[in-house]
């Protein structure tokens, strides 16, 4: 019974919005490019942002908690493997207009001021 109560307490700590759609925005699943360490455990760093693609506004929304001073954001076309957009945003997050990008699949690479690198994919349409 104690295990069930602990499990329930842990589940309740996760914000519900991370599993749900944020007003029609599609979550961009970010993966951390791991640094080589001797540990097998994975704990996401405090500076790991969340990213969403809003198709109606054609923008990427990056949500962060200020654990990094800033984030460098690269967007690379998967069809040409060319860097098509580069910007720096606040450590508290921001939105990035991608309306000028052609319809394509893209990789977003977010590098925190702490040198942690996160990657995800989205389709601009």
């Amino acid at each position: 019974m104690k295990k069930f109560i602990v499990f329930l307490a842990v589940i309740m700590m996760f914000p519900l919005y991370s599993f749900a759609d944020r007003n029609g925005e599609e979550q961009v699943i970010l993966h951390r490019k791991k640094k080589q360490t001797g540990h097998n455990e994975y704990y996401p760093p405090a500076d790991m942002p969340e990213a969403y693609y809003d198709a109606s506004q054609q923008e990427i929304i990056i949500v962060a908690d200020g654990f990094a001073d800033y984030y460098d954001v690269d967007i690379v076309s998967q069809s040409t493997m060319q860097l098509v957009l580069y910007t720096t945003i606040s450590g508290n997050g921001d939105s990035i207009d991608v309306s000028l990008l052609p319809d394509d699949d893209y990789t977003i690479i977010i590098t925190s001021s702490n040198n942690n690198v996160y990657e995800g994919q989205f389709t601009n349409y």
Side-chain angles (χ1 to χ4, degrees):
M1 184 66 171
K2 284 184 180 180
K3 289 181 182 180
F4 177 74
I5 292 172
V6 171
F7 173 76
L8 189 59
V10 169
I11 293 296
M12 293 182 77
M13 285 191 282
F14 290 104
L16 294 176
Y17 70 86
S18 66
F19 298 110
D21 204 17
R22 287 179 22 120
N23 299 326
E25 299 163 357
E26 176 183 330
Q27 185 169 13
V28 177
I29 305 299
L30 296 175
H31 301 282
R32 180 175 181 218
K33 292 185 78 172
K34 296 180 184 176
K35 297 177 185 176
Q36 290 293 4
T37 64
H39 302 285
N40 290 332
E41 300 173 26
Y42 175 78
Y43 297 102
D47 67 356
M48 185 171 186
E50 291 183 0
Y52 299 89
Y53 173 71
D54 185 338
S56 64
Q57 298 294 317
Q58 287 194 305
E59 65 183 6
I60 296 286
I61 298 104
I62 298 176
V63 180
D65 293 331
F67 287 104
D69 294 328
Y70 62 88
Y71 294 94
D72 290 327
V73 181
D74 297 335
I75 297 180
V76 177
S77 167
Q78 290 184 5
S79 63
T80 65
M81 299 310 290
Q82 298 282 332
L83 178 68
V84 294
L85 194 140
Y86 168 83
T87 191
T88 300
I89 63 167
S90 158
N92 293 313
D94 205 348
S95 60
I96 301 167
D97 182 8
V98 294
S99 62
L100 296 178
L101 298 180
D103 293 353
D104 199 355
D105 294 324
Y106 294 93
T107 298
I108 185 168
I109 304 164
I110 303 170
T111 306
S112 75
S113 59
N114 303 316
N115 290 321
N116 289 316
V117 180
Y118 308 98
E119 282 190 9
Q121 283 77 38
F122 71 96
T123 301
N124 189 37
Y125 51 93

